[in-house]
């Protein structure tokens, strides 16, 4: 039974349950809803929830677990002699999927009888031709074990699907029956419903934890996988980055770190002074009207998607810098439009509002009494700001800058488009360099074999990136929070 | 308490006292006022520089992107010769289908040559097929589709408006110059002379390019044909997923954390977790999507459903943070009032607090959606780039599950292509993307203004 | 209504430090101070009393132009300090505030060390030539603020770590360090406990030897204890001004009497 149908049937059961629960409750109170503990709709909802929630949870779980289990089982059918690496196995498995899907498609189209599909064999027919007939193109001829695996895959999927339908619907009916039986005039339906809702709320809230767990697990497992194939020491302390999918790659993270660091540094050198002075101006000097205008205008910079900045770096800033520092002018510092400077400058512009907005809030939360105290002593406004307000706001501002730094380190599109692709350790800001994020993208896009160290290294890079930004964020948020508490 | 009198006036250090007239500025004050002025100017300059960056950015986008909204067309009366298209003469569509687009390009060449003669333009080329470079290679397919739809038109001469090739279009827009054509094998300067004359004759025109907004992506060699429409649909389906998932989950999580959660370490962990997730680089969510949704659960690559799931996880923290802020803004007296008449905690939240906080929640959700709409990096990893979005999804399920691109991913794809004609498309795509973002932000602002409540 | 002939002669015996004439203050549309004229004497403690919102704090802030920091506030009339109009366009409020110091309602030490708090004023006004000079100024000011003995061993610990009363005396020391001629105090004891209040009041009495002190207070007892002159404000008007003893024992205006006896306020 297709998944959509199961879903719809469960929903229908829930609707029926609502009506049943409601009418049974009313009947038990001899039609007078005042005799009930809760409002009639709560009795209905109670039954509906019991019918739908557990069964849908099981359904969701099943959708995730079944393919994994079948995959695991089918993989064993492929003889170990037919592949040498995990990568080859993955390719074989994707063939299996394609054939299985092709057969499904052929059966659905009517070009192949259901029984015929089950009886197919590599000896009696050319599978590739059979599938091509029904519009499914295969890249290569089909070997016997692959076909066997594919057929097993189909068979298991069909059985699994029918068990799924039975289990889910049975659970829905059981839940419905259980709740209907419990329904009578003294049953505290509202409390029961609220308990279920509360647990749903808790479930939603823990999704945040689940996300983090998901991130950490997917990074950790693949990173361990990578370190099995490539020594961790070489990764963390290698000074050369030259992946080659043929093997013999050197995957040292240091050049990428340096590129990330250098670009972030330039970005912060642009964003921090501009952002900080802008924050000082909007919070201390500007009239409410100008503040109300300038602040949102600057914040637009933060709302512009990073792809726009990337394009701006690649097509506008890069060529402009080339016109000034390129070989054409005799300076010759720059060889191509994509460079550390290009990406750094553009990223700096993007970060201005990150620094200015948060700093502005933080400066505003410095108590007015401190300003009064300073002004009352005959200090000028700028002396007050420099010597009283900023020192008082310093922790918060540091937090804002750290958050901006974490943004800079994790920024992807600007460096992918604007910084170039060459990993090198150089001091010249007009040279192309690359970053951790840019390499994550380049190692995981395209037809990479996910089992090779060249692709897995992206997870190790991601792990490093995640740990660094996480530390920065926790530290920055902690500083800002401490700071806020100080003046609350 | 008499310390002051002990040290006495005699013990006072020699101070440079500010005892002069108030009406004259002393030197120190003048210096300090100058410093004050300088400081203030730094601040103004910083704001100014920020605004100038914004203006330059917007100006660049508009200047480079607006040309993408017009396109050069050539009006061409094409004789749909029966001898070439339908030799049997029985108008059987299956028969006509056997003529490939290649068979149609001859017709176009002849039509071009004929229209040159008509306008009294002498062709600088010996062969009619040399004129072919003036016209987009999509023209043949366009005419073929027309013929297949109207086989009865064969044998007649029909007026077509075909796309000019991207170089001719670039010439019309000033992107391609004669000098630059020297090393270009796609077009010669002689073609431009013909184009100029065709323009003078009114056959070659620049018109608004609906196909850019509604159309599909095209292959690398046909920038004139590429449009953003299909990837717009991809974005739309992604946003549907994000909206349907993140609004209820975000509201539920916020309601729990703000109204029900006990103060304990678990809640603390969740809170710290959420604020950290909001600052995790988006590319990390891409890795998560790749590892969990594609490798582990084996959802299809490049599918808007997967993109939507990844973006949901990415925007949830933002939505939760803003939703909690709006819940917090509802004064406790409302909750007390509801509890006071005997409502349960749950009822007080769902009947009173939540509806009052709704405008704020919606505003936050829209802003979260806007952020998700412009996000590119995670989409790179789940394969929504590199795919040529040339087919419209047929139906809802296919919209969610079939490979597609998304607007920002499409823009990235265009920016990577070698032909500068695609850069123009990329900028144009950005204009469309920004129009969407602006609309969403304006809606959010209106919502906030309209329903803002001061307690 | 207050300038009875007897008072007039008494006023002349000491020099006039500040002379306000027909001062009007507006907050946007609100007329906060209505036509106030008052003369403040040298080396005297003058108390401004009156019910909350009567304008006494507002008027105090006009005396060193602290209200310049509020955008919507406008001042009309003249206020002469040593015969010079402090609202003259040529006057720089920075220079004025160095002469007319201010202590605020809530103790507001800067989040810096005790030493830096006191040294702040002398530093920005360039009053010292050397570190030793500055040390001496700081010590003097702290002694003057009657807090030296309590903090001399921890001059470099943060000023925010002191108790409320100590913080307020630190703020007074900080104001005194710039050698002002007038010291304005805006309810300096309202955030303090009775013991700290007593210490600050004692200090105010000592400060009278060198400065004109103007103190805003809502406590009539405090006005009676520390001041020689008292001005009673009501709804933005200066109702009565005279010797403290006379105001409290024999008020001329019935409103003053009502306030003192507790019928309004």
């Amino acid at each position: 039974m297709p998944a959509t149908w199961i879903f719809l049937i469960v929903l229908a059961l829930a609707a029926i349950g609502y009506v049943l629960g409601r009418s049974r409750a009313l009947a038990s109170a001899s039609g007078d809803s005042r005799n009930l503990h809760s409002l009639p709709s709560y009795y209905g909802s109670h039954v509906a929830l019991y019918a739908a929630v557990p069964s849908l949870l099981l359904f969701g779980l099943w959708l995730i677990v079944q393919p994994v289990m079948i995959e695991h089982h089918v993989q064993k059918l492929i003889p170990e002699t037919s592949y040498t690496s995990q990568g080859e196995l993955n390719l074989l498995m994707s063939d299996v999927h394609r054939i299985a899907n092709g057969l499904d498609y052929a059966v659905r189209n009517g070009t192949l009888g259901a029984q015929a599909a089950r009886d197919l064999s590599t000896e009696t027919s050319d599978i590739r031709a059979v599938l091509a007939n029904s519009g499914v193109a295969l890249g290569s001829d089909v070997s016997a074990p692959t076909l066997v695996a594919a057929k097993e895959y189909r068979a298991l999927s069909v059985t699994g699907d029918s068990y799924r339908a039975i289990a889910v619907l049975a659970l829905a009916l059981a839940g419905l029956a259980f709740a209907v039986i419990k329904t009578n005039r003294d049953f505290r339906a509202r409390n029961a419903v609220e308990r279920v809702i509360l647990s749903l709320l808790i479930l939603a809230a823990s999704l945040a934890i689940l996300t983090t767990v998901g991130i950490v697990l997917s990074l950790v497992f693949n990173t361990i996988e990578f370190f099995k194939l490539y020594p961790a020491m070489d990764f963390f302390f290698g000074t050369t980055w030259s992946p080659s999918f043929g093997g013999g790659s050197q995957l040292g993270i240091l050049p990428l770190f340096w590129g990330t660091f250098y670009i972030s540094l330039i970005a912060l050198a642009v964003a921090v002074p501009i952002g900080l002075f802008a924050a000082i101006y909007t919070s201390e000097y500007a009239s409410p009207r100008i503040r109300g205008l300038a602040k949102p205008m600057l914040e637009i910079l933060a709302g512009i998607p990073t792809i726009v900045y990337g394009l701006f770096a690649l097509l506008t800033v890069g060529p402009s810098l080339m016109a000034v520092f390129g070989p054409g002018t005799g300076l010759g510092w720059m060889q191509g439009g994509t460079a550390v400077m290009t990406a750094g400058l553009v990223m700096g512009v993007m970060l201005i509002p990150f620094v200015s907005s948060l700093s502005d809030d933080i400066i505003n939360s410095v108590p007015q009494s401190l300003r009064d105290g300073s002004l009352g002593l005959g200090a000028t406004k700028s002396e007050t700001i420099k010597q009283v307000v900023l020192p008082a706001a310093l922790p918060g501002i540091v937090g804002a800058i750290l958050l901006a730094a974490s943004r800079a380190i994790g920024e992807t599109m600007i460096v992918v488009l604007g910084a170039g692709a060459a990993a090198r350790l150089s001091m010249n800001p007009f040279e192309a360099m690359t970053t951790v994020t840019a390499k994550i993208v380049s190692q995981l896009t395209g037809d990479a074999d996910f089992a090779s160290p060249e692709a897995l290294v992206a997870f190790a890079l991601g792990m490093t990136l995640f740990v660094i930004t996480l530390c920065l964020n926790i530290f920055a948020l902690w500083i800002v929070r401490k700071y806020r508490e100080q003046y609350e | 308490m008499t310390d002051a009198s002990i040290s006495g006036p005699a013990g006072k250090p020699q101070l440079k006292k500010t005892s002069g007239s108030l009406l004259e500025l002393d030197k120190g004050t003048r210096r300090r006022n100058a410093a004050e002025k300088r400081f203030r100017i730094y601040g103004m300059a910083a704001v100014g520089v920020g605004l100038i960056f914004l203006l330059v950015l917007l100006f660049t986008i508009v200047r480079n992107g607006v040309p993408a909204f017009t396109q050069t067309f050539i009006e061409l009366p094409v004789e749909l010769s029966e001898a070439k298209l339908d030799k049997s003469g029985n108008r059987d569509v299956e028969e006509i289908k056997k003529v490939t687009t290649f068979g149609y390009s001859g017709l176009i060449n002849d039509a071009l040559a004929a229209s040159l003669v008509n306008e009294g333009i002498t062709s600088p080329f010996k062969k009619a097929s040399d004129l072919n470079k003036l016209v987009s290679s999509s023209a043949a397919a366009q005419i073929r589709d027309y013929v297949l739809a109207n086989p009865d038109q064969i044998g007649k001469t029909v007026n077509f408006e075909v796309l000019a090739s991207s170089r001719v279009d670039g010439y019309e827009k000033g992107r391609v110059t004669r000098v630059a054509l020297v090393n270009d094998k796609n077009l010669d300067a002689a073609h431009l002379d013909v184009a100029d004359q065709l323009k003078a004759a009114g056959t070659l025109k620049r018109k608004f390019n609906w196909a850019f907004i509604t159309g599909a992506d095209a292959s690398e060699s046909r920038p004139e044909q590429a449009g953003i429409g299909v990837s717009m649909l991809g974005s739309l389906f992604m946003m549907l997923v994000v909206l349907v998932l993140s609004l209820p989950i975000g509201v539920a999580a916020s309601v729990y954390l703000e109204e029900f959660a006990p103060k304990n370490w678990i809640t603390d962990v969740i809170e710290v977790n959420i604020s950290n997730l909001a600052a995790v680089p988006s590319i990390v969510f891409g890795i998560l999507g790749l590892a969990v949704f594609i490798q582990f659960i084996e959802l299809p690559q490049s599918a808007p459903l997967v993109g939507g799931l990844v973006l949901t996880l990415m925007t949830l923290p933002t939505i939760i943070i803003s939703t909690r802020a709006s819940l917090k803004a509802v004064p406790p007296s409302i909750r007390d009032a509801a509890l006071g008449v005997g409502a349960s905690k749950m009822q007080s939240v769902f009947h009173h607090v939540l509806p009052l906080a709704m405008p704020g929640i919606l505003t936050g959700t829209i802003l979260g959606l806007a952020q998700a709409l412009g996000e590119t990096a995670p989409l790179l990893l789940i394969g929504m780039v590199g795919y040529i979005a040339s087919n419209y999804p047929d139906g809802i399920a296919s919209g969610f599950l079939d490979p597609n691109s998304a607007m920002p991913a499409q823009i990235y794809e265009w920016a990577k292509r070698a032909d500068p004609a695609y850069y123009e498309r990329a900028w144009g795509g950005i204009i469309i993307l920004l129009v969407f973002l602006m609309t969403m932000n304006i809606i959010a602002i209106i919502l906030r203004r309209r329903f803002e409540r001061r307690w | 209504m207050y300038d009875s002939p007897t008072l007039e002669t008494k006023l002349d015996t000491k020099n006039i430090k500040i002379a306000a004439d027909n001062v009007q203050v507006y907050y946007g549309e609100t007329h906060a101070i209505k036509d106030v004229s008052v003369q403040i004497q040298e080396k005297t403690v003058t108390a401004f009393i009156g019910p909350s919102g009567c304008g006494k704090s507002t008027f105090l802030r006009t005396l060193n132009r602290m209200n310049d920091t509020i955008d919507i506030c406008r001042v009309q009339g003249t206020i002469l300090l040593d015969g010079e109009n402090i609202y003259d366009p040529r006057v720089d409020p920075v220079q004025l505030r160095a002469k007319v110091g201010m202590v605020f309602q809530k103790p507001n030490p800067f989040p810096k060390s005790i030493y830096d708090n006191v040294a702040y004023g002398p530093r920005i006004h360039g009053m010292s030539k050397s570190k030793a000079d500055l040390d001496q100024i700081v010590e003097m000011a702290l002694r003057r603020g009657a807090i030296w003995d309590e903090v001399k061993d921890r001059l470099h610990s943060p000023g925010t770590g002191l108790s409320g009363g100590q913080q307020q005396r630190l703020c007074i020391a900080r104001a005194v360090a710039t050698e002002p001629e007038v010291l304005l105090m805006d309810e300096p004891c309202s955030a303090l406990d009775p013991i700290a209040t007593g210490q600050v009041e004692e200090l105010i009495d000592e400060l009278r030897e060198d400065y004109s002190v103007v103190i805003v207070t809502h406590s009539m007892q405090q006005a009676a204890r520390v001041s020689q002159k008292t001005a009673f404000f009501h709804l933005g008007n200066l109702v009565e001004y005279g010797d403290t003893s006379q105001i409290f024992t024999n008020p001329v205006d019935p409103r003053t009497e009502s306030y003192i006896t507790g019928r309004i306020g």
Side-chain angles (χ1 to χ4, degrees), chain B residues 132-162:
Chain B
N132 201 354
K133 290 177 177 175
L134 283 171
V135 178
S136 162
S137 42
S138 70
Q142 182 192 348
I143 295 172
R144 182 167 180 264
D145 288 345
Y146 175 82
V147 170
L148 292 181
N150 312 286
D152 52 315
Q153 294 290 325
I154 290 180
K156 296 179 187 152
T157 299
V158 181
N159 264 323
F160 286 98
E161 210 165 50
V162 299

Side-chain angles (χ1 to χ4, degrees), chain B residues 80-348:
Chain B
L80 303 174
S81 130
E82 183 167 11
K84 277 184 181 165
L85 300 181
D86 189 18
K87 288 190 186 104
S88 61
N90 53 17
R91 300 291 181 266
D92 178 9
V93 178
E94 289 302 316
E95 283 280 310
I96 303 171
K97 264 190 188 162
K98 286 191 179 144
V99 183
T100 59
T101 49
F102 190 72
Y104 284 82
S105 46
L107 292 182
I108 296 169
N109 296 340
D110 294 345
L112 268 172
S115 88
L116 285 193
V117 172
N118 251 350
E119 305 291 349
I121 303 166
T122 37
S123 166
F125 305 105
K126 291 197 186 73
K127 292 182 291 175
S129 63
D130 278 334
L131 285 168
N132 201 354
K133 290 177 177 175
L134 283 171
V135 178
S136 162
S137 42
S138 70
Q142 182 192 348
I143 295 172
R144 182 167 180 264
D145 288 345
Y146 175 82
V147 170
L148 292 181
N150 312 286
D152 52 315
Q153 294 290 325
I154 290 180
K156 296 179 187 152
T157 299
V158 181
N159 264 323
F160 286 98
E161 210 165 50
V162 299
L163 283 168
S165 72
S166 98
R167 292 294 189 283
V168 172
D169 180 56
Y171 174 63
E172 288 301 312
K173 291 170 180 168
R175 187 179 67 230
V176 173
T177 58
R178 279 161 199 269
V179 184
L181 279 184
V182 175
N183 297 320
D184 196 332
K185 62 179 174 16
N186 287 320
L187 204 70
D188 300 323
H191 286 108
L192 298 183
D193 298 331
V194 178
D196 280 339
Q197 285 168 303
L198 282 176
K199 191 182 181 188
T203 312
L204 186 144
K205 275 181 284 195
R206 234 171 111 182
K207 283 174 46 179
F208 190 79
N209 185 12
W210 280 109
F212 175 62
I213 301 173
T214 59
D217 192 13
S219 71
E220 189 120 3
S221 58
R222 291 185 197 172
E224 69 274 7
Q225 203 193 353
I228 203 169
V230 173
S231 49
M232 218 189 278
L233 282 177
S235 278
L236 174 76
F237 281 107
M238 281 199 322
M239 288 307 114
L240 282 179
V241 175
V242 177
L243 181 67
V244 165
L245 290 180
S246 66
L247 184 60
I249 296 180
V251 169
S254 318
V255 164
Y256 176 71
L257 290 175
E258 199 58 42
E259 307 284 342
F260 294 101
K263 267 271 152 233
N264 58 22
W265 66 271
I266 301 177
T267 321
D268 277 351
V269 166
I270 296 182
E271 295 206 12
V272 171
N273 199 352
I274 286 174
S275 46
N276 278 315
L277 273 183
V280 164
S282 56
I283 184 100
V284 172
F285 286 96
I287 297 180
L288 170 76
L290 177 68
V292 172
F293 295 131
I294 292 182
Q295 286 184 325
F296 189 65
I297 310 186
E298 301 197 335
L299 291 169
Q301 272 216 344
S302 316
L305 174 68
V306 179
L309 288 174
V310 171
L311 293 181
T312 302
L313 294 182
M314 198 193 80
T315 36
L316 255 184
T318 329
I319 291 182
I320 292 180
I321 290 172
S322 70
T323 303
R324 290 189 62 184
S326 2
L327 288 174
K328 216 176 260 167
V330 177
S333 59
I334 303 276
R335 296 173 181 83
D336 295 345
L339 295 177
V341 295
S344 69
K345 177 88 184 153
M346 192 73 78
Q347 285 170 324
S348 85

Side-chain angles (χ1 to χ4, degrees), chain C residues 145-163:
Chain C
I147 191 180
W148 171 251
D149 291 332
E150 289 156 74
V151 300
K152 64 184 172 202
D153 299 326
R154 46 169 174 157
L155 285 177
H156 294 282
S157 55
T160 42
L162 298 172
S163 75

Side-chain angles (χ1 to χ4, degrees), chain A residues 42 194 212 285 378 382-383, chain B residues 32 36 44 273 295 344 347:
Chain A
Y42 278 108
E194 289 186 350
T212 311
Y285 285 106
S382 61
E383 287 162 349
Chain B
R32 288 167 62 199
E36 167 74 23
M44 264 153 74
N273 199 352
Q295 286 184 325
S344 69
Q347 285 170 324

Side-chain angles (χ1 to χ4, degrees), chain A residues 24-89:
Chain A
R24 190 178 152 92
L26 278 175
S28 74
S30 44
D32 187 348
S33 65
R34 280 173 300 178
N35 294 335
L36 288 171
H37 169 270
S38 315
L39 290 174
S41 62
Y42 278 108
Y43 292 92
S45 309
H46 173 241
V47 177
L49 282 172
Y50 264 81
V53 173
S55 53
L56 286 183
L57 283 180
L58 176 73
F59 184 49
L61 202 67
W62 202 299
L63 279 180
I64 295 170
V65 171
Q66 177 180 314
V68 177
M69 284 181 57
I70 292 180
E71 185 81 11
H72 191 72
H73 182 78
V74 167
Q75 229 167 50
K76 282 194 224 140
L77 290 177
I78 296 183
E80 276 176 36
T81 46
S82 60
Y83 57 90
T84 50
S85 70
Q86 183 67 31
E88 277 179 57
L89 178 62

